[in-house]
Amino acid sequence: MKIALGQINPTVGDFSGNSKKIIESASQAHARGAHLALFPELAVCGYPPRDLLEKPAFVARSQQVVEEIARVLPDITVICGFVSPAKGETGRSVMNSAATLRHGQVQFVQSKMLLPTYDVFDELRYFEPASSQKVLPLDGKQLAVTICEDAWNDKHFWHRRRLYKIDPVDELLRAGANLMLNISASPFHLGKRELRREMLETIARDNRVAVVFVNQVGGNDSLVFDGSSMVIAPDGRTVARAKSFAEDLVFFDTESMEGDLHQQIEGEEASAYAALVLGTRDYVRKCGFERVVIGLSGGIDSALTAAIAVDALGADHVTGLAMPSQYSSEDSVRDARELACKLGIRFEVVPIGQIFDVYRKALAPIFSGRQEDVAEENIQSRIRGNLLMAFSNKFGELVLTTGNKSELGVGYCTLYGDMVGGLAVISDVPKTLVYRLSRYVNSRKPVIPLSTLEKPPSAELRPGQKDSDTLPPYEILDNILEDYVEDYHTAEQIAEQRGYDLKLVRDVIRMIERSEYKRQQAAPGLKITPKAFGFGRRFPIAQKSEV
């Protein structure tokens, strides 16, 4: 049997566009001799649809489109994900399902059994889990049709970390399946592709069965899907592989155990950068924008964000806006201009010194007798946010914010100031990774000025200000953030394991907790680490934590 893996980039709710992608890819697969074409989880409606699933018309449209696809397909069998109505009298009203389309009809439906409720997943909120599953006979093969999480409970791989009592893959193989299929919408984060591959290799080797995995690609809101579809032979070899971070169509033959091996992006910096570019491009375009505007400070965060935007959208779709105050150094304005020139983007300068003076004059009577402090510093940031939004309104360009994960973590950012925007591109990128990604950008084409990479980080909101005045070195801060936010270690554990001063660790944790109110008002950000602020991380704002 020749199988095609249709790695497509669906848009949530775009039934017409998504079905067109499925039909076109299936037609190409048929023309090249494939008997079966696989498409990702919920490919018909896009993943994750979230509360759109509560609309009866959305569910009805999903069912209708699947039937329409079946009627127009050429002589090829297609398996694709869609939303189906639940048949039970109790429980949730919909199921996460895989439809087998053949001879103009929906001939077989298998619904998802394991519904994740951790991190960014909330599937039990919407879906009724399948209560049973059957092997699908097709062209002499007995197929195990599974959906994403159904494959993530192998006892040999997860050991003590198993989340479910049942293993759908194991049950289907014991029922006689001799080829495992998994259609997925598995989001990217650093290390995820390696984890996925190792897990699927374990299933293939332990059960002596080929594993065919097709994954969604593209960005939907905060989530980035890397694709990286693959086929693993019974001996654990990767015998077919799709590209990462791009749509693709790859083929695999079950008899020869041979398939297409397309080149993937390797390395942490290259993978993270590709994810950010893809996530930015899809967020901007799927939200109906064509152009973006970025506040360019001459610093490394805005420089990296601008480079990502150019690679995502093209230089002619990006504007850089420098807004110097009396505290901005000439070097910073020069660096911002040099960056814009090297990137080839539109560059405008709007000084804010006079505007800031007007604010201070207006507030002087009620601020009388008090020294200038963070209040005046934040006014400058909010003036810049106001100008960026004015530019956005006038020219229809989406504002991209430039704050990184380290700053967002400890609240080193201004609410309604530098946090203003439609997408926080690098909000899940720790500062140390910002530097690594910036060097990666320059290794491809030197666009970020060397002085931007080398000068000490500063918000330039007061004379001589540096980030190190308020924060520990970013190498230490990022380690504490990773241990506390991603691994939930206590202050005592972090101090002991890292060899850090306990008071320092506690001070950082206090800043993290006190800044939750800011983060919950922030623009959505692109997730590239195992635990990002925002979507998937649910902490109370008003709390008094003792642990």
Side-chain angles (χ1 to χ4, degrees):
M1 181 189 298
K2 188 173 183 180
I3 300 177
L5 282 62
Q7 182 173 290
I8 63 172
N9 182 350
T11 298
V12 172
D14 184 11
F15 291 102
S16 299
N18 298 341
S19 61
K20 182 180 180 182
K21 286 178 180 286
I22 293 170
I23 293 166
E24 288 180 349
S25 293
S27 298
Q28 292 178 38
H30 174 256
R32 293 178 58 183
H35 306 91
L36 171 64
L38 302 178
F39 294 92
E41 175 183 15
L42 296 186
V44 169
C45 67
Y47 186 96
R50 304 180 77 181
D51 279 10
L52 287 172
L53 294 167
E54 297 181 355
K55 293 186 174 184
F58 186 90
V59 180
R61 180 67 174 142
S62 176
Q63 185 89 4
Q64 175 190 358
V65 169
V66 166
E67 294 170 357
E68 290 174 354
I69 294 172
R71 286 195 292 269
V72 301
L73 285 174
D75 188 19
I76 185 173
T77 302
V78 162
I79 296 178
C80 62
F82 77 115
V83 180
S84 68
K87 298 179 180 179
E89 296 181 359
T90 59
R92 294 153 191 84
S93 60
V94 295
M95 304 183 83
N96 183 338
S97 303
T100 300
L101 314 181
R102 186 176 171 88
H103 302 317
Q105 297 179 332
V106 179
Q107 291 197 346
F108 180 87
V109 174
Q110 176 62 57
S111 296
K112 192 172 184 177
M113 299 198 78
L114 306 184
L115 302 177
T117 57
Y118 54 86
D119 193 35
V120 300
F121 305 107
D122 201 7
E123 294 197 22
L124 269 177
R125 173 184 172 95
Y126 307 107
F127 297 115
E128 181 72 11
S131 58
S132 63
Q133 55 186 348
K134 294 181 180 179
V135 173
L136 170 63
L138 183 67
D139 296 347
K141 293 288 184 181
Q142 302 294 312
L143 308 182
V145 179
T146 63
I147 303 174
C148 204
E149 190 81 357
D150 289 343
W152 288 72
N153 203 41
D154 182 78
K155 60 181 177 291
H156 299 294
F157 185 79
W158 293 107
H159 305 296
R160 297 179 183 178
R161 294 176 59 192
R162 297 178 75 216
L163 299 178
Y164 313 94
K165 293 182 179 180
I166 62 173
D167 181 354
V169 172
D170 182 61
E171 292 185 0
L172 285 167
L173 294 177
R174 285 193 285 110
N178 53 24
L179 180 64
M180 179 195 153
L181 310 179
N182 185 261
I183 66 171
S184 282
S186 178
F188 169 82
H189 63 67
L190 293 172
K192 181 74 168 288
R193 288 185 299 166
E194 295 77 10
L195 173 68
R196 230 191 263 131
R197 186 181 63 249
E198 291 171 6
M199 180 192 70
L200 296 176
E201 287 173 357
T202 300
I203 294 173
R205 282 196 304 266
D206 289 352
N207 296 284
R208 304 300 299 172
V209 63
V211 176
V212 183
F213 164 83
V214 62
N215 191 31
Q216 174 173 300
V217 71
N220 280 326
D221 291 353
S222 295
L223 301 184
V224 180
F225 299 85
D226 57 287
S228 307
S229 303
M230 70 187 92
V231 179
I232 309 295
D235 60 4
R237 290 179 299 120
T238 300
V239 293
R241 181 178 61 227
K243 298 174 184 177
S244 296
F245 309 108
E247 290 188 311
D248 204 1
L249 183 65
V250 298
F251 295 84
F252 161 71
D253 191 286
T254 61
E255 303 309 312
S256 66
M257 282 291 159
E258 295 180 351
D260 301 326
L261 290 168
H262 293 173
Q263 188 172 4
Q264 293 189 345
I265 295 172
E266 302 293 344
E268 187 168 86
E269 289 85 0
S271 299
Y273 191 78
L276 293 168
V277 168
L278 176 59
T280 300
R281 179 187 301 125
D282 276 2
Y283 185 90
V284 172
R285 291 181 176 171
K286 290 180 180 182
C287 288
F289 289 88
E290 295 182 358
R291 300 179 55 87
V292 297
V293 58
I294 303 165
L296 294 184
S297 66
I300 194 166
D301 296 324
S302 60
L304 177 60
T305 303
I308 291 167
V310 168
D311 282 339
L313 304 167
D316 56 342
H317 290 80
V318 180
T319 299
L321 199 61
M323 297 163 284
S325 74
Q326 51 267 59
Y327 303 129
S328 301
S329 67
E330 292 183 8
D331 290 345
S332 293
V333 178
R334 182 202 64 212
D335 289 345
R337 188 182 302 276
E338 181 182 344
L339 172 77
C341 181
K342 288 183 175 180
L343 289 174
I345 65 176
R346 177 184 176 185
F347 181 67
E348 302 289 348
V349 179
V350 182
I352 68 166
Q354 291 183 358
I355 304 173
F356 183 35
D357 288 340
V358 171
Y359 268 83
R360 287 197 289 192
K361 183 177 180 180
L363 291 167
I366 55 176
F367 282 5
S368 178
R370 293 179 177 267
Q371 293 292 321
E372 290 195 353
D373 55 16
V374 69
E376 284 77 12
E377 292 178 22
N378 286 341
I379 286 171
Q380 298 167 72
S381 183
R382 292 186 176 113
I383 291 170
R384 292 181 175 125
N386 217 324
L387 293 174
L388 284 167
M389 287 309 303
F391 192 95
S392 173
N393 291 161
K394 183 64 68 175
F395 298 104
E397 300 187 8
L398 183 73
V399 178
L400 302 184
T401 72
T402 62
N404 61 63
K405 187 174 188 176
S406 308
E407 295 170 345
L408 191 64
V410 296
Y412 196 68
C413 47
T414 303
L415 201 58
Y416 323 122
D418 59 340
M419 295 177 69
V420 163
L423 177 67
V425 175
I426 61 170
S427 64
D428 196 32
V429 182
K431 187 74 168 189
T432 49
L433 182 54
V434 168
Y435 279 99
R436 287 163 51 199
L437 290 179
S438 297
R439 294 188 182 96
Y440 168 75
V441 168
N442 276 4
S443 71
R444 300 164 71 219
K445 182 181 179 182
V447 293
I448 298 177
L450 184 61
S451 55
T452 296
L453 282 161
E454 293 180 345
K455 65 187 175 186
S458 171
E460 293 192 329
L461 298 175
R462 64 172 182 266
Q465 183 181 29
K466 293 182 176 61
D467 290 6
S468 56
D469 298 339
T470 308
L471 303 175
Y474 280 112
E475 293 79 5
I476 294 175
L477 176 60
D478 288 352
N479 285 337
I480 297 173
L481 279 168
E482 180 180 352
D483 291 347
Y484 186 72
V485 174
E486 296 185 17
D487 298 327
Y488 297 117
H489 291 169
T490 65
E492 291 74 16
Q493 289 172 325
I494 297 170
E496 181 179 353
Q497 293 167 7
R498 297 282 187 179
Y500 295 161
D501 177 71
L502 180 58
K503 180 181 182 302
L504 171 66
V505 176
R506 284 176 173 165
D507 287 345
V508 170
I509 290 174
R510 191 174 299 110
M511 285 190 284
I512 294 171
E513 292 177 344
R514 289 181 62 185
S515 302
E516 188 62 34
Y517 79 100
K518 288 188 179 182
R519 290 190 291 271
Q520 293 199 27
Q521 299 180 68
L526 301 175
K527 181 181 187 297
I528 65 163
T529 71
K531 181 66 69 173
F533 293 120
F535 186 39
R537 186 178 185 272
R538 307 175 187 182
F539 275 75
I541 297 173
Q543 62 151 316
K544 188 176 181 180
S545 177
E546 296 183 354
V547 293

